[in-house]
Amino acid sequence: MSPPVKILGAFSSAFTHRAEVALRLKGVPYELIQEDLSNKSELLQKHNPIHKKVPVLLHGDRAVCESLVIVEYVDEAFDGPPLLPVDPFDRATARFWARFLDDKCSTSYWLALWTEGEVQKGSVKEIKENLALLETQVKGKRFFGGDTVGYLDIAASAFVGHWLSVFEEVAGVTLVTDAEYPDLCRWAKEYTSHETVKQCLPEREKLLAHFTASKDFIVSAVKSMTPK
Amino acid sequence: MAGEKSLVLLDFWVSPFGQRCRIALAEKGLEYEYSEQELLGTKSDLLLRSNPVHKKIPVLLHAGRPVNESLVILNYLDEAFPASPPLLPADPYARAQARFWAAYSDKVYEVGTRLWKLKGDAHGQAKKEMAEVLANLDGELGDKAFFSGDEFGFVDVALVPFAPWLPSYEKYGEFSVKEKWPRLDAWARRCGERESVAKSLHPPEKVDEFITLLKKHYGIE
C-alpha cells in the first residue's frame, strides 16, 4: 500500500490549491494540514527549510516543495490521468507558460492590485499585457490542457479566476473583465465549476473575509516589493 | 548537403543560461547549430519571432519549433531525445528534488547581479542573500561528488555555468567560496574537468570583463 500523502497548506493559499487539485485529479487521497502562516509550525520549517512556505507535499518520508514541482511529482509518482500533455513540445509549452506566470507576472500582479499611483499604473499596464498573452493559450479550447484540466490550468488558477475575483473585490481594482478577456473569463467559469476542482476551492465568502482582514498587512508587504 | 540541422540554439556567448543548454546538448551527444545572437544591439527577427514573450536567449529550435527558458529546454531535451543519456534521474522523488534545486540555482545569478549593480543598503542585502544561497547549495551538495550523487546531472548542469561568475561575485561581495564553502569550490573544479563543461564555459577573466562592459552600458560606476 502506498505511504500516506499529506499537504502542509493554508486554506487561503492558491498555491496550496494547486497541490490539492493535482492530487484530486489523480484520485489520490490525502490529508490537508492547515498551517497558521503567521506562526509557522516546526513541521513546515523542517520540511521546507529553504523557503518556509506552503504548500509542502509529504509522501511517506519524502517532502516536496514548490507548487509546480509538486504538480509534476504528483503526475509522475501516481497513476491516473496525466496532468501534463504527452507530447514533449506541448509539455515544454505548458511549463513555459507556468513559469511565465510564476516568474514574470508575479511582481506586477501584486503591485497592480495593492499599490497606488505611478507604480500601480505601470504594473496594471504590464499585468494586463501579460494576461492577454496568457489568454492566447486558452483561445478556442475548453481548458489550457484541451478537453481536460491540466498542468497549465492548475498553474493559472493561482492568478486568474477564483482568487483574482476576491483580490479585485478587496483591493477595489479590476484587472480582468469579460469584455477585455472573454476567453480567460470563460475558462475561469469552466475551471471553478469543474467537479473535481471545486472540491478543493475554498468558499469565496471565507476567502473574502480572510483577505479583507489581511489587507493592511498585504499592502505593507507589497510596498517592500516595489522596484527601486 | 542535407537541409538545415534539426537543432539550432539561439544563444549569447557569455550567457550562463545558454551554457546550460550547450552543456546539456554535449552531454547528450546531440548535434546542433550554434547561432550567436546580438543582444545589446538590435535583436534578430528570428529571435523576436521565436521568443516574442521574453525576447531572450537561449532559444532551442527543434525542426523550426521554438522551446524557450533554459530549464524548460533541459527538460525538453530529456523528453524529446529519450535514447540519449538522461539529465534527470528516473525516480519521481529524485526528479522533484532536481527540479527544485535547479530552479533555486537561478538565485546565484539573480543575487549576484544585484551585487555588482547596486550600492549601499541594497548591496549589503545582496551580500547577505548570496551567503544564504551558497550555504544552502553547499548544504544540499554535502559530501557528494555531484548534486544527485555519483553522476553529473540536471542540477550540476543548471548550476555550473555560474561558476565562472563566482570570482566576480567574490570581488563585489567580499567573500571567498573556497574559504567558506570548500565543497562547493571542489565541486566546481570537478565539473570543470568534464569536456562538456570545459568546452562550454568561458574563463572568469572574460566574465569579469563582460560585467565591466555591462556596468558601462548601464552607467554604473
Side-chain angles (χ1 to χ4, degrees):
Chain A
M1 193 178 122
S2 183
V5 178
K6 300 179 189 178
I7 295 183
L8 298 182
F11 97 95
S12 61
S13 159
F15 301 98
T16 299
H17 166 77
R18 284 177 172 176
E20 286 197 79
V21 78
L23 288 166
R24 284 182 185 270
L25 287 167
K26 291 295 247 197
V28 177
Y30 64 93
E31 180 195 341
L32 177 66
I33 300 173
Q34 292 280 3
E35 277 286 324
D36 174 0
L37 296 181
S38 62
N39 184 17
K40 292 176 180 178
S41 72
E42 271 184 45
L43 194 64
L44 176 61
Q45 298 191 60
K46 173 182 167 198
H47 290 300
N48 193 353
I50 303 296
H51 300 301
K52 302 178 179 56
K53 283 182 175 175
V54 295
V56 178
L57 180 87
L58 299 174
H59 185 197
D61 56 3
R62 304 168 168 183
V64 183
C65 306
E66 292 293 287
S67 60
L68 293 180
V69 176
I70 291 172
V71 176
E72 288 221 41
Y73 174 75
V74 168
D75 205 25
E76 293 177 348
F78 300 99
D79 292 329
L83 299 175
L84 270 109
V86 171
D87 174 74
F89 186 76
D90 295 337
R91 292 164 75 87
T93 304
R95 286 180 180 128
F96 171 84
W97 286 102
R99 284 264 58 98
F100 170 76
L101 284 168
D102 279 14
D103 296 344
K104 180 143 176 170
C105 294
S106 214
T107 304
S108 58
Y109 184 83
W110 293 118
L111 294 177
L113 286 164
W114 305 108
T115 59
E116 294 170 332
E118 286 307 309
V119 170
Q120 187 193 31
K121 264 180 78 179
S123 302
V124 168
K125 183 168 175 291
E126 195 182 323
I127 190 63
K128 287 181 89 112
E129 280 168 9
N130 288 339
L131 290 173
L133 287 169
L134 177 70
E135 192 177 42
T136 64
Q137 296 304 299
V138 79
K139 238 181 175 61
K141 294 191 291 185
R142 189 171 167 215
F143 297 108
F144 286 94
D147 295 322
T148 53
V149 170
Y151 177 83
L152 187 50
D153 300 277
I154 298 171
S157 70
F159 287 87
V160 184
H162 197 65
W163 267 268
L164 178 59
S165 89
V166 170
F167 293 153
E168 283 176 320
E169 191 173 328
V170 175
V173 173
T174 306
L175 293 179
V176 170
T177 61
D178 268 323
E180 287 177 278
Y181 301 94
D183 294 287
L184 275 184
C185 290
R186 176 190 49 77
W187 169 82
K189 288 196 188 82
E190 288 270 19
Y191 183 80
T192 53
S193 58
H194 185 277
E195 62 174 351
T196 306
V197 169
K198 66 186 186 194
Q199 290 168 25
C200 52
L201 280 178
E203 277 178 49
R204 196 177 185 278
E205 289 310 306
K206 284 201 173 129
L207 268 188
L208 196 58
H210 171 87
F211 284 108
T212 304
S214 327
K215 187 177 175 180
D216 289 344
F217 175 77
I218 296 172
V219 168
S220 69
V222 171
K223 263 208 178 77
S224 67
M225 282 169 73
T226 313
K228 293 173 215 332
Chain B
M1 163 120 187
E4 59 190 9
K5 281 211 175 110
S6 184
L7 286 170
V8 178
L9 183 68
L10 305 186
D11 202 344
F12 183 68
W13 67 279
V14 75
S15 162
F17 302 98
Q19 287 165 335
R20 284 171 166 174
C21 304
R22 286 175 242 168
I23 294 169
L25 286 157
E27 287 286 324
K28 294 171 88 61
L30 295 168
E31 286 204 8
Y32 66 101
E33 180 196 325
Y34 177 92
S35 172
E36 179 71 13
Q37 296 296 302
E38 178 66 59
L39 291 188
L40 297 179
T42 316
K43 293 178 180 176
S44 73
D45 278 343
L46 181 59
L47 175 58
L48 296 175
R49 269 185 289 122
S50 305
N51 191 352
V53 173
H54 298 299
K55 306 175 178 54
K56 284 183 175 175
I57 57 91
V59 177
L60 180 78
L61 293 163
H62 186 194
R65 295 202 299 182
V67 181
N68 300 318
E69 293 292 293
S70 60
L71 296 180
V72 175
I73 291 170
L74 295 192
N75 272 287
Y76 178 77
L77 287 173
D78 259 10
E79 292 172 353
F81 299 95
S84 65
L87 299 168
L88 279 165
D91 171 70
Y93 183 54
R95 291 162 76 84
Q97 297 298 90
R99 288 181 172 130
F100 176 92
W101 286 102
Y104 187 77
S105 74
D106 281 358
K107 283 198 182 294
V108 175
Y109 190 78
E110 185 226 303
V111 179
T113 301
R114 280 154 50 202
L115 267 181
W116 62 257
K117 255 191 178 174
L118 306 176
K119 306 266 187 276
D121 283 345
H123 180 260
Q125 177 63 24
K127 272 175 77 167
K128 196 163 153 282
E129 281 182 48
M130 181 58 91
E132 264 174 45
V133 170
L134 293 175
N136 285 333
L137 287 166
D138 178 77
E140 176 59 18
L141 174 67
D143 296 315
K144 297 179 289 189
F146 301 106
F147 275 86
S148 64
D150 296 323
E151 301 283 322
F152 182 80
F154 196 78
V155 181
D156 308 290
V157 176
L159 182 60
V160 78
F162 304 124
W165 295 71
L166 286 174
S168 297
Y169 297 154
E170 286 174 322
K171 177 176 73 173
Y172 288 101
E174 295 159 318
F175 63 89
S176 160
V177 176
K178 190 161 188 182
E179 263 175 43
K180 294 191 82 172
W181 305 286
R183 294 180 301 190
L184 209 54
D185 185 72
W187 164 86
R189 286 174 211 284
R190 190 176 303 124
C191 291
E193 287 163 10
R194 293 180 84 80
E195 199 184 333
S196 64
V197 176
K199 284 194 165 163
S200 303
L201 301 189
H202 293 285
E205 303 77 57
K206 284 273 171 222
V207 170
D208 199 58
E209 266 173 39
F210 181 72
I211 292 177
T212 306
L213 184 83
L214 278 184
K215 284 177 74 171
K216 281 208 185 79
H217 180 79
Y218 289 119
I220 301 165
E221 62 182 53

